[in-house]
Amino acid sequence: MSDKMNPISFEQLLKRLLDEYRINNSFLSVPVSRNTDMDYISAIGPAAGPHTQLAGNIVAAYGAGASHFELKTVQIIDGEALGIVKPCIYSSQEVYNTEWSTELTVKQAADEYIKAYILLKILIQELQLGNINGFNFIMSIGYNLAGIQSKKIDEFIENMKNAKETNEWKKDIEYILSHLEMFENVTQDFVESISPAISHTIALSTMHGCKNEEIESIARYCIEKKALNTYVKMNPTLLGNDAIRTILDSMGYTHITFDDEIFETDLDFPNAVKMITVLLEIAKKEGKAFGVKLTNTFQVKINRNELAGENMYLSGTPLYPIAIAVAAKLEAEFDGKLPISYSGGADTSNVEEILKTGIYPVTISSILLKPGGYKNITKMNVQADKHERVKTGTVDVEALNDLAKKAITHLEYCKKVEKSFAISKDYSLLCGKCNNCVDVCPNRANKKIVKDKKTYVIHYDRLCNQCGNCSFFCIAGHKPYLDKLTIFDSMEAFHSSENEGLVMDGKDPIFRIKNDEVKEQVKEKIKCLEEYYEF
């Protein structure tokens, strides 16, 4: 089984999404739940991570109610050269990962983002889902000035600013124009009116240890030379070693350890304030927006064999009191006039309070890896929509300070006993008991199917990158990405895997199932699922 994703073509995705919506009111098994008011834009969206890596993921998140999409980070090192060891996600109450940018090549990533953008425009118009401009793509790039100025990344940025001359744009638009009979509300005039400006906003990601001069140089380059609205991702280390250690210990996370040296090499608070002050003035002069993204994940030690390697990146529940404290500390310096895009443990219990301070938008990742998956966006919107955003451009410093104080005493964010599931011997290749593996898969590689009042779940090899997230929530204690009946899209993929499953040879399926009795049972059941043999 390969740990490399194989993106779905525009034509396949469009047909699948239209058909699924018309039958089930869903996108890739995620129920579509959106406010269709033409003026409505949600304050919520996925952060740069596994949920903004493939076009289908982005559409699924939009269907759940997202409006802001921080695209997965691209950098000069891409594809297989990244060498990411799988599994790369560990989900308990806290979440860890060892992936740091898109696993696709930069060219593939650009194609996925262009594809997603066009799909959303067409789906919104055809299915009357609301504001045609009611979503926002934010590029995420890293990690140093030399890499960002390279031809590879420069072409990516320019193609995101204007995708009209890209092969993906031309191919997808041509396909729509030659298949207008598929639609009721999409016309030639509408298609030709779609702006090719995918994004004019960037979130700058830098490595731990990157000096303030380098960060400032990159941000200046993005603002002055590339004419981009720019947000700089800040590290949790701005809060300081002692403060972070105190927060983690007081909330029960004594097992989380980190190297003291990261506080010596990362950007410190005084230099961050100086840099931000300079960049705010430059952005004002250039007529561009500038702000900070709070916060990046937090680099910690691997000391319980959670993942492979020496270091991993912490997010989720324990990051919230740290990230919100960084936000409060910075806003106190800038009298509430520093624009903040927030990410760091946001969930249904705190999103309304975060937005009430004036912070906007809020992007999420860890909560989407937990039970409910993309549907947690819908739940967060219920809370977020209770707050009517006042566009003053300022943050209530006092309210933010109060929120930071509350976070470190709130039981919701304290360490709890982790759940563990005993391995069930009667686990079925087609098990559909809890469907957790369907919800928590960021890539939509596990699909729930209901046939004749029976529920099945099958696994698509081409969409799985073996992140491992589904294994933490299987109530039968199994690893669905390895133990589910797997549908392969090629003989090569079939023979290179040990997963039990099938591949199509012409019109006939070839099965690999170890137990002969189970094989006959599955063969009988799978007859009713033939329409799902391909994505």
Side-chain angles (χ1 to χ4, degrees):
M1 182 180 181
S2 171
D3 66 353
K4 303 295 186 293
M5 298 170 292
N6 184 6
I8 305 296
S9 71
F10 179 86
E11 303 95 285
Q12 284 179 293
L13 269 173
L14 179 61
K15 185 178 185 305
R16 162 74 184 272
L17 292 164
L18 285 172
D19 288 347
E20 184 181 340
Y21 180 86
R22 289 163 177 162
I23 296 170
N24 295 322
N25 194 45
S26 63
F27 290 149
L28 305 189
S29 301
V30 176
V32 174
S33 178
R34 291 198 61 85
N35 183 333
T36 57
D37 186 317
M38 294 301 289
D39 295 323
Y40 177 79
I41 297 178
S42 165
I44 309 301
H51 303 92
T52 56
Q53 192 161 221
L54 295 173
N57 304 13
I58 294 171
V59 174
Y62 174 84
S67 289
H68 299 274
F69 300 87
E70 191 181 85
L71 306 174
K72 190 72 182 283
T73 306
V74 299
Q75 58 149 323
I76 194 169
I77 304 172
D78 60 359
E80 294 186 4
L82 284 170
I84 297 173
V85 178
K86 306 299 177 60
C88 56
I89 294 175
Y90 182 97
S91 292
S92 58
Q93 183 172 355
E94 62 269 29
V95 175
Y96 305 105
N97 76 83
T98 52
E99 57 173 5
W100 35 294
S101 56
T102 180
E103 297 175 42
L104 303 175
T105 65
V106 172
K107 171 64 167 59
Q108 286 176 318
D111 288 347
E112 287 301 291
Y113 305 153
I114 294 167
K115 193 187 303 180
Y117 176 89
I118 298 173
L119 282 168
L120 288 182
K121 293 288 186 179
I122 296 300
L123 292 169
I124 293 169
Q125 176 69 10
E126 175 64 11
L127 305 176
Q128 300 293 286
L129 297 178
N131 186 344
I132 198 70
N133 298 313
F135 65 91
N136 179 31
F137 279 12
I138 301 123
M139 291 180 269
S140 180
I141 61 168
Y143 288 96
N144 56 45
L145 184 58
I148 289 168
Q149 289 179 329
S150 69
K151 181 180 178 183
K152 182 190 293 187
I153 303 302
D154 188 68
E155 286 182 351
F156 171 84
I157 293 171
E158 292 303 315
N159 288 338
M160 291 296 99
K161 289 164 63 177
N162 187 343
K164 192 170 185 178
E165 297 305 315
T166 65
N167 289 333
E168 187 68 37
W169 180 275
K170 292 176 181 178
K171 178 169 61 73
D172 298 348
I173 294 296
E174 177 57 33
Y175 178 82
I176 298 165
L177 290 173
S178 61
H179 291 79
L180 288 174
E181 71 279 0
M182 294 173 59
F183 309 103
E184 294 180 5
N185 300 312
V186 174
T187 64
Q188 180 176 340
D189 286 345
F190 172 77
V191 176
E192 292 177 346
S193 73
I194 298 175
S195 168
I198 309 296
S199 175
H200 277 91
T201 301
I202 206 156
L204 170 62
S205 188
T206 57
M207 285 293 190
H208 291 275
C210 190
K211 300 299 181 184
N212 60 296
E213 296 88 355
E214 175 86 353
I215 300 171
E216 183 177 322
S217 295
I218 303 171
R220 290 184 70 129
Y221 172 77
C222 291
I223 297 167
E224 295 176 330
K225 302 299 183 183
K226 307 312 290 182
L228 294 166
N229 301 313
T230 301
Y231 283 73
V232 175
K233 296 182 185 179
M234 296 292 188
N235 290 330
T237 47
L238 284 179
L239 197 58
N241 190 331
D242 292 344
I244 291 179
R245 185 72 270 164
T246 298
I247 289 173
L248 292 176
D249 288 351
S250 68
M251 305 189 83
Y253 297 98
T254 54
H255 61 284
I256 295 176
T257 61
F258 44 82
D259 288 327
D260 293 343
E261 66 182 37
I262 62 174
F263 294 89
E264 298 169 6
T265 56
D266 271 6
L267 177 67
D268 62 22
F269 191 79
N271 280 314
V273 171
K274 291 177 184 177
M275 182 188 72
I276 292 168
T277 302
V278 170
L279 292 173
L280 283 169
E281 286 300 316
I282 291 171
K284 182 178 180 181
K285 178 183 176 183
E286 297 293 327
K288 299 298 175 183
F290 175 80
V292 295
K293 175 70 182 289
L294 298 179
T295 65
N296 239 327
T297 50
F298 181 46
Q299 181 178 303
V300 299
K301 300 295 292 180
I302 297 172
N303 51 29
R304 298 190 303 170
N305 297 314
E306 295 94 342
L307 294 167
E310 295 182 2
N311 297 303
M312 57 188 176
Y313 300 99
L314 168 71
S315 61
T317 304
L319 186 59
Y320 172 66
I322 297 171
I324 207 71
V326 173
K329 190 173 181 180
L330 277 173
E331 286 297 357
E333 287 288 331
F334 289 94
D335 297 323
K337 295 180 175 61
L338 176 63
I340 290 178
S341 171
Y342 183 83
S343 184
D347 57 28
T348 54
S349 66
N350 59 33
V351 66
E352 183 185 1
E353 291 180 306
I354 294 171
L355 291 170
K356 278 183 178 179
T357 68
I359 287 174
Y360 181 95
V362 173
T363 58
I364 52 179
S365 182
S366 294
I367 191 175
L368 304 184
L369 295 168
K370 300 293 183 72
Y374 289 75
K375 290 179 282 189
N376 288 321
I377 296 172
T378 307
K379 294 178 181 178
M380 286 188 71
N381 272 331
V382 171
Q383 301 303 317
D385 290 349
K386 292 178 180 178
H387 166 64
E388 184 176 352
R389 185 186 177 214
V390 180
K391 297 182 180 180
T392 61
T394 60
V395 172
D396 186 330
V397 176
E398 184 177 352
L400 188 53
N401 278 327
D402 289 344
L403 191 56
K405 292 175 184 176
K406 178 181 177 182
I408 60 175
T409 60
H410 201 303
L411 293 178
E412 182 73 23
Y413 311 111
C414 291
K415 179 65 179 174
K416 299 173 184 175
V417 177
E418 293 182 23
K419 294 180 181 179
S420 60
F421 301 104
I423 296 178
S424 171
K425 294 182 179 179
D426 63 351
Y427 180 76
S428 163
L429 288 174
L430 292 166
C431 173
K433 291 180 180 177
C434 70
N435 301 314
N436 281 346
C437 62
V438 176
D439 286 345
V440 303
C441 176
N443 298 324
R444 319 313 299 145
N446 300 317
K447 181 170 178 59
K448 173 184 173 182
I449 300 165
V450 179
K451 281 281 188 178
D452 301 324
K453 298 182 179 180
K454 295 181 179 179
T455 300
Y456 308 96
V457 174
I458 57 177
H459 179 74
Y460 290 101
D461 175 71
R462 72 178 297 171
L463 293 177
C464 180
N465 67 341
Q466 296 192 41
C467 73
N469 191 57
C470 58
S471 63
F472 295 97
F473 303 103
C474 174
I475 63 172
H478 282 256
K479 296 180 177 180
Y481 72 102
L482 298 177
D483 300 337
K484 282 284 182 194
L485 186 82
T486 301
I487 309 297
F488 297 92
D489 69 326
S490 71
M491 294 298 294
E492 181 183 3
F494 180 74
H495 289 302
S496 66
S497 173
E498 295 184 1
N499 277 28
E500 298 183 86
L502 65 91
V503 64
M504 296 302 295
D505 182 19
K507 293 184 179 180
D508 300 315
I510 297 176
F511 288 88
R512 177 175 57 237
I513 297 176
K514 298 168 187 175
N515 184 298
D516 288 339
E517 183 179 345
V518 172
K519 182 176 182 178
E520 293 307 311
Q521 293 173 356
V522 170
K523 273 188 172 182
E524 184 62 32
K525 290 179 180 179
I526 206 74
K527 285 181 181 179
C528 69
L529 306 180
E530 289 182 3
E531 64 189 284
Y532 301 102
Y533 284 1
E534 296 180 8
F535 176 83

